[in-house]
Amino acid sequence: MWFIAWLEGRPIGFVGVGMHNDRDVDEMVEARGYALVEDLYVEEAYRRRGAARALMEALEKVARDADMPGIILDTGVDDSYAAARALYAALGYVDQGGVYLGGWSDPDRPGVHIVDGLTIWIKPV
Ligand SMILES: CC(C)(COP(=O)(O)OP(=O)(O)OC[C@H]1O[C@@H](n2cnc3c(N)ncnc32)[C@H](O)[C@@H]1OP(=O)(O)O)[C@@H](O)C(=O)NCCC(=O)NCCS
């Protein structure tokens, strides 16, 4: 399920959430029974106006209404993720520690594959 933040008729941010599904082993292992947050992003020009907070609060309400025990997500440990870590801490997510490596491919730069140090954050709902 995807949530889009709109400002004056224009989409300025988004976030996805996957609900735990015990018929999908990959999802079950990755999400550990929690609602799994993916790909939170707010356009640079519209940051610090509460869009990410509103997206996360909308997602948390859906997870609560679906009786999920909590929300799980991962985020990077380097400086480029400082805003995200501050946001999650402000919203009550707790860093579980234990850095691991995650990789992704940048769709804007074909052939560029990035590896980040990540930690898991959890918030009960
Ligand atoms: C992280 C991100 C989604 C935050 O979006 P945003 O709309 O600017 O966040 P909000 O305005 O809702 O911020 C809510 C709270 O989070 C914290 N926060 C957000 N950005 C922050 C920053 N740059 N520095 C410190 N705290 C920050 C603050 O507590 C803020 O509340 P305040 O503005 O009242 O102080 C945005 O910076 C982004 O898209 N970054 C690049 C992509 C990314 O890192 N995604 C997450 C991957 S895990």
Side-chain angles (χ1 to χ4, degrees):
M1 182 183 303
W2 289 91
F3 296 81
I4 315 255
W6 294 85
L7 185 71
E8 292 162 4
R10 176 183 155 77
I12 58 156
F14 56 85
V15 68
V17 63
M19 298 296 176
H20 167 61
N21 174 352
D22 62 11
R23 287 165 300 180
D24 178 331
V25 173
D26 280 350
E27 196 175 301
M28 189 167 65
V29 169
E30 191 181 357
R32 304 180 197 177
Y34 294 93
L36 176 68
V37 177
E38 305 199 51
D39 297 333
L40 172 66
Y41 182 81
V42 173
E43 273 189 34
E44 218 163 320
Y46 299 101
R47 290 182 187 165
R48 292 311 284 271
R49 298 182 187 198
R53 183 188 292 273
L55 286 165
M56 293 299 293
E57 286 174 355
L59 169 165
E60 288 172 12
K61 180 177 184 325
V62 167
R64 255 196 315 277
D65 290 349
D67 287 330
M68 303 301 285
I71 320 262
I72 191 167
L73 54 85
D74 59 23
T75 194
V77 296
D78 72 26
D79 286 351
S80 61
Y81 292 94
R85 288 195 304 273
L87 167 75
Y88 299 136
L91 294 178
Y93 289 76
V94 177
D95 188 347
Q96 307 295 301
V99 178
Y100 66 99
L101 296 180
W104 60 285
S105 301
D106 188 339
D108 292 330
R109 292 180 291 165
V112 175
H113 308 292
I114 297 159
V115 174
D116 281 321
L118 304 169
T119 59
I120 298 272
W121 295 59
I122 290 177
K123 176 179 179 177
V125 293

